[in-house]
């Protein structure tokens, strides 16, 4: 059933990263200044707290020991093995969620009846904390590795579905009318208009999923896994090596930031190509 009403959506860009950070008018210099200000706040706050006698055992949280520990970690093969293990889990988990979530998001956005049917289940699942699935994951899956993938999928599939749906609903209705006047079928509409036009939103959903995936991965790697950055954080906590603990946190931030920029560049490329 063909219906133009399915594409009506009020101000869809209010949802997602682009609403806040889509246009950075002042360029990379202001981003660098922002990072420097963030570093200054860290130095000032950590120096104010962890130089006190009662907190002297936590001096590892200071920037100096942290970056020294991070540099030393980069010289060890164990660190890079753990980095690869965490990145593999993130990438595979998000890919599984995307394979499931993107088609669902297209269907939810394209068919009004399906959207009405799926609204309550999606909202219900979205409101469940991803980490609350951890006991179920440990019971269902024979290996901890599979359980981690399950947790990442459960954490990221809803953002992917919802942002893909927003992309479909944000398509210019005139494009749909023109295609329908030419006798296009639903399959042709999805293939030639819906998927290309909503691709930037799909990539935004991957950026959102990336942040959520890191949040779930680190505590998931505390349980029964002997590799990954979460495992290194837990190990450093148990041995009270706080400089290494903070170094692993910084490493996660650096890796997440780099992955986000890669997706952002791809997103801008596709957005520019479609607008042209």
């Amino acid at each position: 059933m063909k219906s133009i009403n399915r594409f009506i959506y009020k101000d869809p860009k209010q949802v997602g990263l682009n609403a806040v950070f889509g246009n950075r008018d002042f360029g990379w210099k202001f981003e660098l200044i922002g990072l420097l200000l963030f570093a200054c706040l860290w130095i000032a706050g950590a120096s104010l707290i962890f130089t006190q006698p009662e907190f002297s055992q936590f001096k590892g949280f200071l920037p100096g020991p942290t970056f020294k520990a991070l540099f030393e970690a980069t010289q060890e093969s164990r660190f890079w093995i753990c980095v690869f293990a965490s990145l593999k889990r993130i990438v595979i988990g998000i890919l599984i969620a995307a394979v499931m979530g993107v088609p669902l998001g297209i269907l939810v956005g394209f068919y009004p009846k399906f959207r009405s049917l799926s609204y309550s289940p999606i909202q219900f699942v979205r409101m469940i904390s991803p980490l609350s699935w951890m006991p179920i994951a440990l019971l269902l899956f024979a290996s901890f590795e599979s359980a981690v993938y399950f947790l990442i999928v459960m954490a990221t599939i809803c953002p992917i579905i919802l942002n893909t749906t927003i992309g479909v609903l944000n398509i210019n209705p005139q494009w749909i009318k023109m295609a329908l006047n030419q006798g296009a079928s639903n399959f042709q509409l999805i293939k030639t208009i819906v998927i290309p036009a909503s691709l930037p939103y799909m990539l935004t959903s991957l950026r959102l999923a990336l942040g959520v995936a890191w949040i779930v991965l680190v505590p998931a790697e505390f349980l029964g896994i002997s590799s990954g950055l979460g495992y290194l954080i837990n190990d450093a906590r148990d041995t009270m090596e706080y400089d290494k603990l903070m170094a692993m946190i910084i490493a996660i931030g650096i890796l997440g930031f780099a992955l986000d920029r890669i997706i952002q560049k791809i997103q801008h490329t596709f957005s520019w190509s479609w607008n042209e």
Side-chain angles (χ1 to χ4, degrees):
M1 181 180 66
K2 300 174 182 178
S3 173
I4 298 302
N5 291 331
R6 61 179 169 244
F7 296 99
I8 297 176
Y9 190 82
K10 299 297 183 182
D11 194 18
K13 291 188 178 180
Q14 64 183 333
V15 182
L17 292 176
N18 282 347
V20 179
F21 299 114
N23 296 314
R24 296 185 303 278
D25 297 327
F26 300 103
W28 64 269
K29 292 182 180 179
F30 273 75
E31 291 190 42
L32 181 60
I33 293 172
L35 288 173
L36 291 174
L37 289 174
F38 176 78
C40 289
L41 288 174
W42 175 21
I43 294 171
S47 299
L48 182 64
I49 297 172
F50 300 121
T51 55
Q52 301 296 322
E54 60 269 29
F55 296 112
S56 59
Q57 68 271 31
F58 300 117
K59 285 184 178 180
F61 291 125
L62 290 166
T66 294
F67 284 106
K68 180 182 178 183
L70 181 59
F71 176 77
E72 291 173 352
T74 59
Q75 310 302 308
E76 301 173 0
S77 60
R78 181 192 184 202
F79 171 77
W80 293 109
I81 291 172
C82 289
V83 167
F84 176 77
S86 290
L87 288 178
K88 184 184 76 169
R89 291 167 188 141
I90 289 286
V91 171
I92 292 178
I94 291 179
L95 283 178
I96 294 172
V99 169
M100 298 168 60
V102 168
L104 279 173
I106 292 173
L107 292 176
V108 170
F110 195 81
Y111 294 102
K113 290 184 179 179
F114 186 69
R115 185 159 63 250
S116 298
L117 286 172
S118 61
Y119 173 79
S120 294
I122 291 174
Q123 291 298 325
F124 179 81
V125 173
R126 190 172 70 90
M127 293 302 169
I128 299 174
S129 169
L131 293 178
S132 65
W133 294 101
M134 192 175 292
I136 296 176
L138 295 175
L139 291 172
L140 289 179
F141 297 94
S143 67
F144 288 108
E145 197 77 15
S146 300
V148 171
Y149 291 140
F150 172 78
L151 290 174
I152 293 175
V153 170
M154 293 307 298
T156 57
I157 191 167
C158 284
I160 291 174
I161 292 174
L162 293 175
N163 231 61
T164 302
T165 300
I166 290 169
V168 176
L169 295 172
N170 194 43
I171 295 173
N172 189 336
Q174 297 303 319
W175 299 347
I176 305 299
K177 289 180 181 179
M178 291 174 60
L180 291 176
N181 290 336
Q182 297 296 321
S185 64
N186 284 345
F187 177 77
Q188 291 171 327
L189 285 174
I190 292 174
K191 180 181 177 181
T192 59
I193 295 178
V194 172
I195 292 178
S198 58
L199 188 58
Y201 285 82
M202 297 178 192
L203 294 172
T204 296
S205 73
L206 296 183
R207 292 181 66 192
L208 294 169
L210 179 64
V212 178
W214 277 114
I215 293 172
V216 172
L217 177 68
V218 173
E221 288 181 335
F222 289 176
L223 300 175
I225 290 179
S226 58
S227 64
L229 293 173
Y231 166 77
L232 291 181
I233 289 175
N234 196 44
D235 185 60
R237 183 201 62 182
D238 292 341
T239 58
M240 293 186 292
E241 296 175 286
Y242 299 121
D243 54 343
K244 291 184 179 179
L245 189 155
M246 195 65 188
M248 294 306 103
I249 293 174
I250 296 298
I252 288 172
I254 293 172
L255 289 170
F257 185 83
L259 289 174
D260 179 77
R261 280 307 173 89
I262 292 172
I263 297 176
Q264 186 183 30
K265 292 295 183 184
I266 297 173
Q267 181 184 12
H268 286 173
T269 299
F270 279 102
S271 298
W272 181 85
S273 298
W274 180 253
N275 290 332
E276 288 295 309

